Amino acid sequence: LQLSNPQGIESANFGLLMLLEKERDRNKMYRLLDRSIQESRAHSMPRLESASQLKLGRMYLDDQLFEKANACIHRSFSIADSINNHHLVISSLEELVRVNTLREKYLEAMRYESLLDSSLQAHHDAIQRTLVLEIELEKESARKIKLRKENEILSEREAKNSIIKWSLIILTIFLISILLVLFKMFQQARRKNRLSQKHQRLLADLELMLSTAIVEGRMEERKRIGQDLHDQIAGNIAALVLMMK
């Protein structure tokens, strides 16, 4: 109450209602219930007020104060019905049937019993709808989980395919690079081979030219030597002829 916390007040009052089950001081129980009803009204807590009215009505019923019990339980039923609390509605109708039976108001008891049957059926239908909804939600959740797993599997496959794709691209680029390097090396080797062959041909031509020049030089030297010998021998012969004459 000091913190003005409605949830705390409601929880504390429900705790007091449970403790009242073991309380033997009837006057204290009445005071606590009256205060619970006042606080629940002051802080706009209809569920707590309905539960407190129901508990107070049961106490009046136990004390055979049927009119007060009927008024409190009817008030609990009205509040519970306004907030659509099936549990409190059914509990209130059960107590209304009992109190009106004890009051010998059989028509009222039958009317409340009819309402109780309707409420029980409505509660049963609500439970069925809730179960169906829960089943549908579970199916939807399972479908979403399955879809999410399928998407994860698809994503993993796409990731693997992407990795394989890029691996193949990188491998292809690597192989092309190796082929280009090998082709370049082959071209360089071929160029070197051509240059080597050309160099060898040049060397062969030079050797041939040198050999030809040497042979020609020797022939010229032989001709010169032969000419010199011819001239010397001819002079010696002429000199011998003159000496003989």
Side-chain angles (χ1 to χ4, degrees):
L1 288 172
Q2 291 177 356
L3 295 173
S4 298
N5 187 339
Q7 292 181 349
I9 294 170
E10 185 175 11
S11 299
N13 277 279
F14 273 118
L16 286 173
L17 291 176
M18 288 187 289
L19 288 174
L20 286 176
E21 298 294 337
K22 298 181 180 181
E23 184 62 53
R24 295 183 179 181
D25 189 346
R26 305 293 289 184
N27 293 326
K28 185 177 180 180
M29 293 172 67
Y30 281 125
R31 289 196 302 271
L32 287 174
L33 285 171
D34 287 335
R35 184 177 181 185
S36 177
I37 292 170
Q38 291 174 6
E39 295 298 337
S40 60
R41 287 176 180 174
H43 293 87
S44 299
M45 293 179 288
R47 187 165 67 98
L48 177 60
E49 183 181 357
S50 177
S52 300
Q53 291 281 5
L54 180 60
K55 180 64 179 177
L56 185 59
R58 284 172 175 169
M59 286 180 60
Y60 283 137
L61 187 59
D62 292 338
D63 293 337
Q64 295 185 354
L65 300 173
F66 300 133
E67 296 300 327
K68 289 184 177 181
N70 184 68
C72 290
I73 297 171
H74 190 274
R75 174 64 180 165
S76 173
F77 167 71
S78 300
I79 296 171
D81 188 52
S82 66
I83 61 175
N84 200 25
N85 189 316
H86 294 290
H87 177 71
L88 287 173
V89 166
I90 291 170
S91 298
S92 299
L93 286 172
E94 288 175 347
E95 295 301 327
L96 284 170
V97 171
R98 188 160 71 98
V99 72
N100 281 283
T101 301
L102 293 173
R103 291 170 62 205
E104 297 181 355
K105 302 285 186 179
Y106 298 113
L107 291 176
E108 289 293 322
M110 292 175 63
R111 185 171 68 87
Y112 286 123
E113 190 171 4
S114 177
L115 288 174
L116 177 61
D117 293 337
S118 300
S119 298
L120 288 172
Q121 184 63 38
H123 183 59
H124 181 266
D125 293 341
I127 292 174
Q128 290 293 330
R129 287 194 299 271
T130 303
L131 290 175
V132 171
L133 182 60
E134 289 178 355
I135 293 171
E136 292 295 330
L137 289 175
E138 288 179 359
K139 289 182 179 179
E140 183 67 19
S141 178
R143 189 183 67 81
K144 288 181 179 180
I145 292 172
K146 183 179 179 181
L147 183 61
R148 184 168 64 250
K149 288 182 178 179
E150 290 177 352
N151 290 332
E152 289 176 356
I153 293 171
L154 183 61
S155 299
E156 290 178 358
R157 288 179 180 175
E158 289 179 352
K160 289 180 180 178
N161 292 333
S162 178
I163 292 172
I164 294 172
K165 178 182 176 181
W166 284 107
S167 300
L168 291 175
I169 291 173
I170 293 171
L171 181 62
T172 304
I173 293 172
F174 179 71
L175 292 175
I176 291 173
S177 301
I178 291 176
L179 290 174
L180 289 174
V181 171
L182 292 174
F183 180 72
K184 190 173 182 180
M185 291 174 64
F186 173 75
Q187 282 187 333
Q188 290 178 353
R190 188 175 180 183
R191 190 180 296 113
K192 286 181 181 180
N193 189 20
R194 288 178 180 178
L195 290 174
S196 178
Q197 291 178 357
K198 186 176 181 181
H199 181 68
Q200 288 178 359
R201 284 197 299 271
L202 288 174
L203 288 176
D205 293 340
L206 286 175
E207 288 178 356
L208 180 62
M209 291 174 66
L210 182 61
S211 298
T212 304
I214 291 172
V215 171
E216 289 178 354
R218 285 178 179 178
M219 291 179 67
E220 290 292 331
E221 183 68 19
R222 287 175 181 175
K223 287 180 181 181
R224 186 181 62 78
I225 293 171
Q227 188 65 36
D228 291 341
L229 289 173
H230 180 272
D231 292 340
Q232 185 177 2
I233 291 171
N236 291 332
I237 292 173
L240 287 172
V241 172
L242 289 175
M243 289 176 66
M244 290 175 67
K245 288 181 177 186

